[in-house]
Amino acid sequence: MKFLKFNTYEEMSAAAANIMAEQIKSKPNSVLGLATGSTPVGMYKKLIEMNKAGEIDFSDITTVNLDEYYPIDPANNQSYRYFMNDNLFNHINIDMDRTNVLYGLAEDPDKECERYEQLIKDLGGIDIQVLGIGQNGHIAFNEPEENLYLNTHKTALTESTIQANSRFFSEGEIMPTASLTMGMGTIFAAKKIILLINGKAKKAAFEQLLNDRFCTSCPATILKLHPDVTVICDAEVAD
Ligand code: PGA
C-alpha cells in the first residue's frame, strides 16, 4: 500500500484525477471502476474540466460502479445511477451505454448480481478502481462482518451506514436498508486501486490502514494484500 498525503481536499482530488487521466491516456478503452459518495466529487470535477479542455477523451471508456441501493429507482435523485449521471457522466463525452451501475429495481437481485459479476469478467476486468471508505472501514457496501463476500451480492446496510447516508434523503423519504454491491473479490481483482480518504471523521479507519494487520472488522484493511493500491489522503485525516 502506497500513501500519498496532500494538504487540502482540492490537492488530493487533483492528484487522484491525474492518476485517472494517465490511465485514460495510456489505455483509451480502459475499464474504470467508479465510486459514489462525497469523497470522489472533487476528482470528478477535475476530470470534467480536463475533458472539456480536450486533455482526456472518454469516448472509448467503459465504467462499472461499485454499488447501488436496493431497492431504488435509478431515476430517484438519491440513487447512485442518478449521482453518477449528475456528477460525471452528463458532463463528459462518454457513451452512456458503456456506463454500468447495478440495477436498483431488479426483480431478482441475485440474478442481477450474477449478471454484473459476469459483465466485469467479460469486459476483461477493471483497470483502475476508485474507492472511498466508510467511517467503519467499509468499502463499497462490504460492511464490517466476520464473513465477507467475494462476489457481487445483495447485503443489508449497517445502522452506522444508514445513519451516515440518511442525511441525503429528504423528510418522509424512506431510505433503502439494503444494497447490491461488488464483493471483496470483485474489487480485489482490479489491476490498480486508488483509495481516497479525507476529513477527521475517517481518522480511525485511516489508522487501521497504517498498522501491520488486516481483519474483516475493517474491510479496507484487506487491501493491504493487493499489489497496487495507492491511498490518497488529506492532512486532516493523516496528521
Ligand atoms: P463518503 O462515503 O465519501 O460520502 O464519505 C464513502 C463511503 O461510505 O464509502
Side-chain angles (χ1 to χ4, degrees):
M1 219 172 222
K2 189 167 116 191
F3 288 82
L4 297 178
K5 187 183 107 178
F6 297 90
N7 286 329
T8 64
Y9 173 71
E10 282 65 36
E11 286 172 41
M12 84 175 235
S13 299
N18 285 337
I19 292 174
M20 296 300 279
E22 283 316 309
Q23 174 68 43
I24 294 166
K25 284 180 200 162
S26 66
K27 187 179 174 197
N29 64 347
S30 290
V31 177
L32 308 181
L34 300 179
T36 51
S38 50
T39 311
V41 170
M43 179 191 76
Y44 292 145
K45 285 205 172 99
K46 300 272 179 211
L47 289 173
I48 293 167
E49 280 168 27
M50 288 181 193
N51 183 233
K52 289 205 189 308
E55 291 163 29
I56 49 172
D57 177 16
F58 284 88
S59 60
D60 284 332
I61 291 290
T62 299
T63 67
V64 285
N65 258 80
L66 284 171
D67 47 15
E68 178 60 286
Y69 289 122
Y70 188 82
I72 200 162
D73 188 326
N76 182 317
N77 65 7
Q78 292 307 321
S79 78
Y80 287 173
R81 161 52 78 181
Y82 188 99
F83 176 101
M84 288 309 303
N85 289 354
D86 197 36
N87 283 284
L88 184 65
F89 301 148
N90 286 345
H91 311 286
I92 58 175
N93 70 328
I94 199 161
D95 177 354
M96 276 292 183
D97 290 342
R98 293 218 192 122
T99 67
N100 298 285
V101 181
L102 281 147
Y103 182 46
L105 287 182
E107 238 170 72
D108 183 338
D110 294 336
K111 264 213 175 107
E112 171 61 1
C113 292
E114 274 170 36
R115 179 195 71 81
Y116 205 71
E117 193 70 29
Q118 190 57 47
L119 168 81
I120 294 171
K121 288 199 175 85
D122 293 346
L123 288 168
I126 297 167
D127 289 301
I128 185 165
Q129 176 66 57
V130 179
L131 294 176
I133 186 172
Q135 291 176 31
N136 62 4
H138 73 204
I139 49 173
F141 278 125
N142 295 281
E143 301 278 18
E145 270 179 282
E146 195 177 337
N147 294 295
L148 298 177
Y149 282 76
L150 285 173
N151 292 319
T152 305
H153 59 285
K154 177 171 174 250
T155 186
L157 306 183
T158 60
E159 202 44 52
S160 80
T161 300
I162 293 171
Q163 291 285 327
N165 291 10
S166 60
R167 67 185 195 274
F168 299 114
F169 287 79
S170 43
E171 228 181 293
E173 222 177 358
I174 297 165
M175 183 180 159
T177 53
S179 71
L180 308 181
T181 180
M182 284 187 198
M184 294 301 296
T186 330
I187 294 168
F188 218 81
K191 294 171 188 109
K192 193 181 177 73
I193 294 174
I194 57 172
L195 172 57
L196 314 185
I197 317 182
N198 72 298
K200 284 197 178 61
K202 302 277 174 76
K203 215 169 174 49
F206 177 77
E207 277 164 6
Q208 296 275 336
L209 297 178
L210 299 175
N211 65 36
D212 187 33
R213 293 185 292 278
F214 67 94
C215 53
T216 63
S217 55
C218 182
T221 58
I222 294 167
L223 297 173
K224 293 177 195 189
L225 297 172
H226 190 283
D228 192 350
V229 179
T230 304
V231 178
I232 303 175
C233 57
D234 75 348
E236 262 194 47
V237 77
D239 288 344

